[in-house]
Amino acid sequence: MRSLSDIFEEYDFLDGDDRYRLLIELGRELEPMPDALKTDATLVRGCSASVWVYPVPRDDGRLHFLADSNAAITKGIVALVLAAVQDKAASEVAAMDVAAALAPFDLTRQLSSNRTQGVPNMIALVQDTAQRIAAD
């Protein structure tokens, strides 16, 4: 997975339609999430599209996330959220300001409110999971 800063470098250079294409491309690059993990327990509430996020704690304390969505642009937004937190220590993810990390993308200005309404819920799910795992 590309770093968030690498993604932003490309994103910042592009305009509207090309930004959509980049988000779709990022979504396609996500590691496949097995259908068996797409359950009510992994479903992110409050998204206009279906979004699933599944944490995979690593032995070294890092968190790896599998995620998917049934909408291409939303899946790209999920990929952005994951780029901010993927394979970091659970304690680091729990403490970080993910919304601030995503702020340069200005998603609320670039995309419809339907597409971005679930972003805070995605971030909350990722951070709640990280806090729970870091506390173990």
Side-chain angles (χ1 to χ4, degrees):
M1 175 171 265
R2 296 187 247 176
S3 73
L4 199 58
S5 60
D6 286 348
I7 295 168
F8 182 71
E9 257 183 55
E10 185 175 351
Y11 186 87
D12 193 40
F13 179 75
L14 302 172
D15 61 7
D17 286 347
D18 289 330
R19 286 181 173 182
Y20 280 115
R21 281 191 271 287
L22 175 60
L23 286 173
I24 291 167
E25 179 185 323
L26 291 172
R28 286 184 184 136
E29 292 172 2
L30 278 178
E31 182 179 345
M33 181 180 190
D35 286 340
L37 297 177
K38 296 174 189 175
T39 66
D40 196 52
T42 61
L43 185 67
V44 178
R45 308 282 179 233
C47 295
S48 57
S50 295
V51 175
W52 300 271
V53 177
Y54 183 80
V56 182
R58 303 286 190 196
D59 291 339
D60 63 0
R62 296 184 181 278
L63 276 177
H64 186 80
F65 291 92
L66 299 175
D68 200 2
S69 175
N70 64 349
I73 297 281
T74 303
K75 192 170 178 175
I77 295 168
V78 172
L80 277 182
V81 172
L82 293 189
V85 301
Q86 194 70 288
D87 297 324
K88 292 187 165 119
S91 57
E92 183 182 349
V93 173
M96 77 184 292
D97 188 343
V98 179
L102 297 175
F105 291 89
D106 199 11
L107 294 174
T108 54
R109 203 176 116 244
Q110 300 296 325
L111 304 169
S112 70
S113 61
N114 266 12
R115 289 198 170 113
T116 58
Q117 71 187 10
V119 173
N121 298 349
M122 276 185 253
I123 292 170
L125 185 140
V126 164
Q127 290 195 297
D128 289 349
T129 300
Q131 287 170 350
R132 198 172 55 253
I133 291 170
D136 284 347

